[in-house]
């Protein structure tokens, strides 16, 4: 008697195939390294960056056990169920423009998910890939978080080294997701659960955006990155409750994202620009 095949197999990533697709002369990516397990790809790659790892390094893991989110929030996922990857870039761009690298990854992630997986993803400011409630595969009253993004900058070498990580939920079942508002590509009805293809799509989108952004000297407006971000950000135009440090709350309408990637919120006292570091949470208002 044979057992039934797993309808959602989770094969390991093929490092040689990834290198063949992504590493090429003149391209951004130098090497794709896949770890069987690690605590955090961002932590590992940041340590390698400080030790001199080259621009264009990519680190992926089959099983991340102590992932890092904003403000030190932790998470973990089942083995081979998510795409968990960090990349290292050393941009020739003003330090003031580096705040755009997390949004750049967000735009890349949305583009890859829409194109390859057919899921109607958007961005939630500052760094989440979501599926808006009205575009979910089933009836839903809230947005579903599909991916989180975290960028970290190291100046120990004298010039900035930026590690940008993304954790994309791919084949998790409902019970395997860490929080109630999380969703996966599988849960949203996508059949595109090949993590290798998804990785190639995300890195391809990132390279295209990054190349234009750096050619424009890190100018998000001139490169079109700011416009692309605004076009995919579902937060804009919505009422929001912005939770600030110290228990303070700002209520208003998200009116835009400025040239420094700050969220513009119009409240009772006028419009205020908020950077990602100023904010604990942004929640829908009512």
């Amino acid at each position: 008697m044979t057992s039934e095949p797993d309808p959602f197999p989770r094969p390991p990533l093929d490092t040689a195939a990834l290198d063949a697709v992504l590493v090429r002369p003149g391209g951004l990516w130098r090497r794709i390294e896949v770890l069987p397990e690690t605590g955090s790809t961002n932590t590992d790659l940041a340590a390698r960056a400080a030790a001199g790892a080259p621009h264009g390094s990519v680190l992926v893991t089959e099983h991340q056990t102590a992932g890092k989110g904003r403000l030190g929030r932790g998470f973990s996922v089942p083995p081979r169920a998510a795409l968990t990857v960090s990349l290292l870039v050393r941009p020739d761009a003003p330090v003031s423009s580096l705040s755009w690298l997390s949004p750049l990854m967000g735009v890349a992630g949305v583009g890859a998910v829409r194109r390859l997986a057919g899921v109607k993803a958007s961005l939630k400011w500052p760094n989440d890939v979501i599926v808006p409630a009205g575009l979910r595969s089933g009836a839903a009253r809230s947005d579903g978080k599909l991916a989180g993004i975290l960028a970290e900058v190291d100046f120990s070498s004298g010039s900035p080294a930026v590690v940008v990580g993304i954790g994309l939920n791919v084949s998790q079942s409902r019970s395997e997701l860490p929080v109630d508002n999380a969703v996966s590509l599988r849960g949203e009805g996508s059949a595109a659960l090949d993590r290798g293809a998804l990785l190639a799509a995300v890195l391809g989108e990132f390279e295209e955006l990054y190349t234009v952004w750096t050619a424009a000297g890190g100018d998000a407006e001139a490169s079109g990155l700011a416009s692309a971000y605004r076009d995919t950000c579902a937060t804009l135009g919505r009422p929001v409750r912005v939770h600030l440090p110290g228990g303070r709350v700002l209520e208003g309408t998200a009116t835009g994202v400025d040239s420094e990637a700050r969220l513009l919120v119009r409240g009772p006292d006028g419009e205020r620009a908020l950077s990602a570091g100023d904010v604990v949470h942004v929640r829908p208002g009512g």
Side-chain angles (χ1 to χ4, degrees):
M1 181 176 179
T2 60
S3 60
E4 290 295 321
D6 183 350
F8 294 101
R10 293 171 175 168
L13 291 165
D14 185 331
T15 305
L18 291 170
D19 271 335
V21 169
L22 292 165
V23 179
R24 65 187 189 282
L28 177 58
W29 311 117
R30 299 289 188 86
R31 183 189 178 204
I32 314 299
E33 182 179 359
V34 180
L35 300 177
E37 181 175 299
T38 191
S40 164
T41 55
N42 258 38
T43 297
D44 289 355
L45 194 53
R48 296 180 189 196
H55 171 76
S57 298
V58 179
L59 188 64
V60 194
T61 188
E62 300 283 21
H63 186 204
Q64 181 161 266
T65 59
K68 294 167 63 177
R70 286 186 65 240
L71 307 176
R73 301 178 189 120
F75 63 94
S76 64
V77 295
R80 300 184 304 280
L83 177 61
T84 310
V85 55
S86 298
L87 56 88
L88 169 64
V89 289
R90 298 180 181 273
D92 182 13
V95 171
S96 60
S97 71
L98 300 182
S99 58
W100 275 102
L101 284 169
S102 179
L104 190 155
M105 176 62 93
V107 176
V110 166
V113 165
R114 288 179 178 179
R115 175 169 57 85
L116 193 64
V119 171
K120 297 174 182 177
S122 296
L123 290 170
K124 174 191 170 187
W125 186 91
N127 61 353
D128 287 345
V129 178
I130 63 167
V131 185
L135 300 177
R136 298 272 300 273
S137 63
R141 300 174 63 182
S142 62
D143 301 336
K145 180 175 176 177
L146 188 61
I149 295 164
L150 180 66
E152 302 176 84
V153 187
D154 176 67
F155 293 98
S156 62
S157 66
S159 58
V162 187
V163 173
V164 189
I166 182 169
L168 172 64
N169 297 326
V170 178
S171 66
Q172 292 100 314
S173 65
R174 176 71 263 165
S175 64
E176 292 174 322
L177 291 165
V179 292
D180 288 344
N181 70 325
V183 296
S184 67
L185 295 178
R186 170 185 170 184
E188 290 303 305
S190 177
L193 305 181
D194 182 332
R195 292 177 304 130
L198 288 164
L199 176 60
V202 170
L203 292 182
E205 297 270 354
F206 186 98
E207 181 173 4
E208 183 176 342
L209 292 163
Y210 181 86
T211 300
V212 177
W213 176 77
T214 51
D219 188 326
E221 300 290 358
S223 67
L225 174 59
S227 177
Y229 181 85
R230 294 175 188 126
D231 287 346
T232 56
C233 184
T235 306
L236 303 187
R238 286 182 166 187
V240 292
R241 286 174 53 87
V242 183
H243 295 257
L244 303 168
R248 294 170 296 137
V249 176
L250 172 64
E251 296 194 60
T253 299
T255 58
V257 171
D258 70 9
S259 60
E260 298 177 36
R262 298 179 300 181
L263 183 67
L264 305 178
V265 177
R266 184 172 298 281
D269 299 321
E271 192 168 73
R272 181 172 174 181
L274 300 164
S275 69
D278 295 331
V279 170
V280 178
H281 293 294
V282 177
R283 305 293 194 206

